[in-house]
Amino acid sequence: MESAPTFSRITQMARDDDQAHFEALYAAYQQPILSYLYRLVGDAAHAEELCQEVYVRAYRARRSMDRVQNVRAWLYRIATNAARDQLRRRRLLSWLPLFDEDPALLVESPEPAALETHAVQQALLKLSPELRVPLVLYSCQELSTQEIADVLGISRDAVKQRLVRA
């Protein structure tokens, strides 16, 4: 019986341009990327759409993976850029009264854990994306400060500063 592929094996398989191996990369990171996107955009449906977009972008750019040292950071960078694009589009539409409040965010659950999760999500959404992204990557997705620096294309010191501010 064959064991589950390791991170380095998944990376190599994806680089080999085999459809099944790219699917293994998707299976390994789909849930963490989806969770990350939800924390950034605050809407499950938008997060699912963005997650699909992330993997479409990654698949199109898969030939550049041989130059990538950290595939996980590469995927999070693609996800971060997709979320930024989505937030930018949302800001452009926010002047319309129809888009003032997201009805999905107004629904409250009677369960205390759900209310706490909702409160945390609301607090995250109040942060600027510049501070929200590193905070979510560090505290929720458990990326190191170096990986976050790779994702955002900034120095480790800048990451640490943003974490403190958030």
Side-chain angles (χ1 to χ4, degrees), residues 83-142:
R84 283 181 176 162
D85 293 346
Q86 170 69 24
L87 293 170
R88 197 174 301 121
R89 284 190 298 266
R90 190 185 295 176
R91 254 193 322 264
L92 290 174
L93 296 175
S94 67
W95 62 272
L96 294 173
L98 176 65
F99 295 103
D100 280 348
E101 293 185 22
D102 185 353
L105 296 176
L106 298 176
V107 176
E108 292 192 27
S109 172
E111 299 175 26
L115 289 174
E116 183 176 311
T117 301
H118 180 75
V120 169
Q121 184 63 35
Q122 290 302 310
L124 279 173
L125 292 174
K126 288 180 182 178
L127 289 174
S128 71
E130 181 180 277
L131 299 178
R132 185 181 335 144
V133 169
L135 180 62
V136 171
L137 286 172
Y138 185 78
S139 63
C140 302
Q141 303 307 120
E142 300 178 355

Side-chain angles (χ1 to χ4, degrees), residues 65-84:
M65 287 178 66
D66 59 344
R67 295 186 307 268
V68 174
Q69 292 183 4
N70 186 335
V71 174
R72 181 169 93 155
W74 179 72
L75 283 173
Y76 275 100
R77 182 176 200 127
I78 294 170
T80 300
N81 290 338
R84 283 181 176 162

Side-chain angles (χ1 to χ4, degrees), residues 12-85:
Q12 185 58 47
M13 291 185 304
R15 287 179 179 154
D16 290 342
D17 198 31
D18 183 353
Q19 179 70 27
H21 297 126
F22 191 83
E23 289 174 8
L25 182 69
Y26 172 83
Y29 291 104
Q30 184 269 341
Q31 190 57 46
I33 294 290
L34 178 62
S35 175
Y36 170 65
L37 289 168
Y38 173 73
R39 287 182 176 104
L40 292 183
V41 298
D43 180 84
H46 284 124
E48 288 177 14
E49 290 173 16
L50 284 173
C51 190
Q52 290 175 4
E53 184 179 330
V54 165
Y55 283 97
V56 168
R57 289 181 185 184
Y59 187 77
R60 288 181 183 152
R62 69 191 178 280
R63 286 179 178 52
S64 69
M65 287 178 66
D66 59 344
R67 295 186 307 268
V68 174
Q69 292 183 4
N70 186 335
V71 174
R72 181 169 93 155
W74 179 72
L75 283 173
Y76 275 100
R77 182 176 200 127
I78 294 170
T80 300
N81 290 338
R84 283 181 176 162
D85 293 346

